[in-house]
Amino acid sequence: MSPDTARPGWRATAPGAAADGDFRRFWWANTADALGTQTSGLALPLLLLALGTSPAVVGTVAGVSAGCGILAAPFAAVLADHGARKRVLVSAALVSAGAMTWVAVGALAGDPPLWQLCAAVVVERTATSCQEAASAGTVAVLVPPDRYPRAVSRLQAGEQAGLVVGPALGGALFQLGRWLPFLADALSYLASALCVAAMRADLRPRRDGPAESGSPTVSGAGLAAAGRSFLRELGAGAGFVRREPFLRFVVLWSTAMSLLLAALSYGTIFTLRDSGAGGGPVGAVLAVAGAAGLAGALLAPRLARALPGARLVIIVSWLMVAPTLGLALTTRIWAYALLFGAISLLLPAAAVVLQSRALEVTPQQLQSRTGTVLATATGLAAAAGPLAAGGLAGTGGTGRTALCCCAALVLLSLWCTARAPAVLRKETV
């Protein structure tokens, strides 16, 4: 079977080497974005804590900003699915670059007020959510279906590389100057915008079958009809997920994992800081976790070929329980690096299986909106993670976060063991 006919709905947007070049540009855009995000992602809570805010306030800022960003993502997804993908990607990256530049300038001038940091982070998070929503369908446009697992794995490897370098870079830059991590993030967004702008492929999705009714444009029906049409467009992705049992499974599993990982990440920062560790050691722990995640992403396609999808997802879910419990029992930096690294090593294999299959079952004209449903669910969970970690750290000690996450992982693994064989009967690779 040729790549062009591997699955209805995929089309080659550029011949051979040109298509590969566009995927490389897309990879560099995502990797640069991930590197900058991880660099400033460590520096932001450290900056807030240095300004005298409590862990609960730090968690609230992170959670509220993420929640605000989630609200804009569905609108960007509709625009992307209707042909504006490249414009959304470039514009959102430039807005994020401006927001991070504002934070860098404020930190360089002295102690920036909390309102300035909150406003900048909300703007950056909103733009980043739009960027993520628009990028959701790009792989399906650039890559034939038989290469989905490899493409997803490479993108995850780039993100994990950002996790390796970003936290260590962020911690080191923060010690040199509190404004430097945010400047680095602004430059990474600029690099991402340039890479996307240089892509030559037509990123508009192919529309199979009859055109969708109710394109979100103003016509003779007037503004009211256009508004109702746009609402239908927003709900198309959610309706498709609701009808597809596998996608429902992906949403629930990924949402739970997003909540737990966000809580564990912030719990790690709070625990190590309480034990006297500075930005450098905290960044090193997260960098080790990122290196393990990079190894896991590179190994994921091979594991996906060796094991049935359902078995792999179940095994990964159960294996994450033990290192999570270990995080609740230690405050040693080397132990945190080892245990958090084990979690990061395991997760990519299951993620590659689920994401590759999700690309296969979703029509191109719904890729961004369906991806946004997943991003919204996981984003809300990620927004709740810092809130939960901050609240648990403030009321019961930093170790309680990992203990609660361990209990939740046991419940998730039990549910996964019962449901995964039914929804993953078809091989994913």
Side-chain angles (χ1 to χ4, degrees):
M1 182 181 294
S2 69
D4 289 357
T5 59
R7 177 176 68 84
W10 180 79
R11 60 159 184 214
T13 59
D20 290 340
D22 278 329
F23 181 78
R24 283 195 296 271
R25 294 181 187 96
F26 183 62
W27 183 88
W28 277 110
N30 279 271
T31 301
D33 186 5
L35 174 61
T37 298
Q38 294 301 324
T39 299
S40 66
L42 172 66
L44 179 63
L46 293 176
L47 177 59
L48 289 170
L49 291 171
L51 294 174
T53 57
S54 66
V57 173
V58 174
T60 300
V61 171
V64 171
S65 62
C68 290
I70 288 168
L71 297 177
F75 298 92
V78 172
L79 295 175
D81 279 340
H82 282 273
R85 176 169 287 119
K86 181 178 285 189
R87 291 195 298 274
V88 173
L89 289 171
V90 173
S91 300
L94 293 176
V95 170
S96 295
M100 288 296 98
T101 300
W102 191 29
V103 175
V105 170
L108 177 61
D111 291 341
L114 182 60
W115 69 265
Q116 179 182 350
L117 294 177
C118 291
V121 171
V122 166
V123 171
E124 185 266 346
R125 191 63 250 171
T126 300
T128 299
S129 295
C130 293
Q131 188 177 1
E132 292 171 352
S135 68
T138 307
V139 170
V141 175
L142 295 176
V143 177
D146 61 330
R147 292 171 57 187
Y148 284 169
R150 183 183 176 208
V152 171
S153 174
R154 287 178 63 186
L155 289 172
Q156 283 203 355
E159 293 175 359
Q160 293 298 330
L163 279 171
V164 175
V165 180
L169 179 62
L173 290 176
F174 188 82
Q175 291 181 333
L176 293 175
R178 296 187 304 184
W179 57 281
L180 286 173
F182 305 102
L183 176 62
D185 195 12
L187 293 175
S188 75
Y189 279 121
L190 180 60
S192 178
L194 292 175
C195 288
V196 174
M199 293 171 64
R200 291 175 288 176
D202 181 4
L203 299 184
R204 292 174 297 179
R206 176 178 175 178
R207 298 184 177 276
D208 303 306
E212 294 178 68
S213 62
S215 178
T217 59
V218 179
S219 64
L223 289 174
R228 290 192 296 270
S229 172
F230 197 84
L231 290 176
R232 286 195 297 271
E233 294 284 342
L234 288 175
F240 185 74
V241 171
R242 188 168 56 249
R243 295 189 298 271
E244 176 58 54
F246 170 76
L247 292 179
R248 293 200 304 270
F249 176 88
V250 173
V251 168
L252 291 174
W253 188 90
S254 300
T255 299
M257 284 297 180
S258 180
L259 171 63
L260 296 175
L261 288 177
L264 286 173
S265 296
Y266 271 78
T268 296
I269 295 174
F270 297 151
T271 300
L272 295 181
R273 186 170 178 84
D274 281 353
S275 67
V282 173
V285 169
L286 298 181
V288 169
L294 174 58
L298 294 174
L299 290 172
R302 184 175 301 177
L303 292 174
R305 289 192 297 268
L307 293 172
R311 185 181 303 173
L312 182 58
V313 174
I314 293 170
I315 290 173
V316 167
S317 299
W318 279 109
L319 287 179
M320 289 177 65
V321 173
T324 304
L325 178 61
L327 291 175
L329 304 177
T330 185
T331 58
R332 295 180 180 273
I333 294 175
W334 66 267
Y336 253 82
L338 180 65
L339 295 169
F340 210 69
I343 294 172
S344 300
L345 177 67
L346 293 167
L347 188 59
V352 165
V353 167
L354 297 178
Q355 290 180 27
S356 299
R357 176 66 180 143
L359 286 172
E360 291 181 8
V361 304
T362 305
Q364 275 199 17
Q365 65 267 28
L366 288 174
Q367 286 278 345
S368 285
R369 279 169 286 177
T370 302
T372 298
V373 173
L374 175 61
T376 299
T378 56
L380 288 172
L387 293 171
L392 290 170
T395 59
T398 54
R400 180 177 290 189
T401 300
L403 192 61
C404 291
C405 288
C406 179
L409 269 173
V410 171
L411 295 177
L412 177 65
S413 300
L414 289 170
W415 172 78
C416 185
T417 302
R419 289 292 300 150
V423 298
L424 278 166
R425 284 192 299 266
K426 181 178 178 180
E427 289 295 325
T428 59
V429 293

